[in-house]
């Protein structure tokens, strides 16, 4: 009889566990139609919904950082048991929410603060930016490459520096000229900054802003540019050279499956930090998916040469060689391998050392070749 009671309890317990639905909710900094960051997260949300049976999702778009707590309160009230906050600006509010709701699982994109019920994650572009920098350095005729930056946070300093290191590897005298717009989503500011950079003689453009504005503005002046977050090739097929493409779904599906099978709980996320790169397939080099380099620029990149370990090779071959290496299980190359000094001459990465994830995610300095004011830059 006692065995029957235990069996019934186990069956009822299993039934209750199966009845508990996985409801993942997403808080976005911008609108889902931005073509950039938020659009990419939302596409990944939809992909996760398709890939994971029983998963229910919800999102709230265009959330101001100051409203994060109130939005979390609402989502928890609506039964969300996993909440993804998808902007660096949400970091501190997410940590507070994790303390307030210890039974809810939180994951924060691009930050570095964690808790027992709060993980962090990032599909990072620094490797891809280096490769695009090689191409930009090879293609510029003026030696001036323009960059429209959103905010001078560690993420952008890391990306701009990787880009500049690539530019300088292909073209040692070239510069990367940055204009900050202090906005993630502002087509007007992005257009104005792009136009100003072009007027100043920059003949290649790259950017961090969540629309295709920079690509479109550059194309009107017949200036090459690079996609950011999603394929922007369709907006300027003659002028998008390559770009940084993201696959957030790789992280979301992995994370949510581990929540579903009990690997991740609200008590063991303190050290869970996804730092997924080319190797994991979380990011991709490309003008569009499956097109690492726009064929229209292949010949120019094959004719352009650079010196690698004392030997000349085409920039095209170098890009493809490094792409293959950094996509492999054990990459030999990393853009942030020392010795690297910052633009003020301070040694930041010693010879033979690679920057750690912690150093990259808290990076305040910028690399040589970057021109323009950068807030919070150490001297």
């Amino acid at each position: 009889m006692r065995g029957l009671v235990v069996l019934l309890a186990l069956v009822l317990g299993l039934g209750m566990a199966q009845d508990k639905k996985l409801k993942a909710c997403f808080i976005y900094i911008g609108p889902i139609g931005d073509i950039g960051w938020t659009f990419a997260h939302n596409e990944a949300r939809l992909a996760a919904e398709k890939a994971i049976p029983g998963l229910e999702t919800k999102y709230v778009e265009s959330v101001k950082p100051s409203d994060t707590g109130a939005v979390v309160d609402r989502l928890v009230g609506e039964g969300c048991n996993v909440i993804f906050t998808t902007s660096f600006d949400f970091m501190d509010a997410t940590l507070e929410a994790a303390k307030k709701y210890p039974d809810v699982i939180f994951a924060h994109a691009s930050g570095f603060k964690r808790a027992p019920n709060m993980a962090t994650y990032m599909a990072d572009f620094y490797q891809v930016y280096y490769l695009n920098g090689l191409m930009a350095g090879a293609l510029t005729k003026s030696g001036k490459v323009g960059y429209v930056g959103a905010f001078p946070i560690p993420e952008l300093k890391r990306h701009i520096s990787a880009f500049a290191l690539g530019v300088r590897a292909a073209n040692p005298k070239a510069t990367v000229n940055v204009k900050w717009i202090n906005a993630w989503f502002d087509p007007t500011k992005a257009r104005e900054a792009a136009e100003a950079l072009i007027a100043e003689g920059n003949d290649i453009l790259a950017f961090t802003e969540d629309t295709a504005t920079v690509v479109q503005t550059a194309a009107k002046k017949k200036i090459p540019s690079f996609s950011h977050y999603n394929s922007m090739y369709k907006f300027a097929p003659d002028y998008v050279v390559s770009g940084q493409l993201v696959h957030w779904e790789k992280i979301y599906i992995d994370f949510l499956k581990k929540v579903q099978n009990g690997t991740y709980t609200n008590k063991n996320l303190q050290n869970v930090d996804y730092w997924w790169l080319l190797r994991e397939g979380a990011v991709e080099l490309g003008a569009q998916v499956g097109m690492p380099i726009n064929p229209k620029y292949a010949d120019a990149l094959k004719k352009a040469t650079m010196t690698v370990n004392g030997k000349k090779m085409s920039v095209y071959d170098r890009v493809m060689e490094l792409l293959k290496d950094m996509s492999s299980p054990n990459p030999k190359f990393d853009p942030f391998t020392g010795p690297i000094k910052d633009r003020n001459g301070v040694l930041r990465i010693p010879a033979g050392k690679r920057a750690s994830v912690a150093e990259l995610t808290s990076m305040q300095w910028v690399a040589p070749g970057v021109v323009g004011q950068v807030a919070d830059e150490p001297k």
Side-chain angles (χ1 to χ4, degrees), residues 102-106 114-120 255 258-274:
D103 294 333
V104 176
I105 287 175
F106 291 86
R114 291 183 289 279
N117 62 326
M118 177 181 164
T120 48
F255 188 90
K258 286 176 178 172
V259 172
Q260 196 173 55
N261 67 25
T263 301
Y264 292 158
T265 72
N266 62 321
K267 299 184 185 301
N268 67 356
L269 302 180
Q270 185 78 50
N271 297 313
V272 174
D273 176 35
Y274 283 70

Side-chain angles (χ1 to χ4, degrees), residues 160-172:
I160 292 168
S161 291
F163 186 66
L165 289 170
V167 168
R168 281 284 179 98
N171 190 337

Side-chain angles (χ1 to χ4, degrees), residues 41 84-86 107-111 119-123 248 251-252 273-274:
H41 280 282
F84 295 100
T85 56
T86 65
H108 174 250
S110 77
T120 48
Y121 64 101
M122 186 63 177
W248 289 111
I251 294 176
Y252 287 139
D273 176 35
Y274 283 70

Side-chain angles (χ1 to χ4, degrees), residues 204-226:
I204 307 282
L205 293 186
F207 66 100
T208 300
E209 192 268 341
D210 291 339
T211 70
T213 303
V214 172
V215 165
Q216 293 169 309
T217 304
K220 288 178 181 176
K221 298 289 186 178
K222 298 184 177 181
I223 285 176
S225 63
F226 294 84

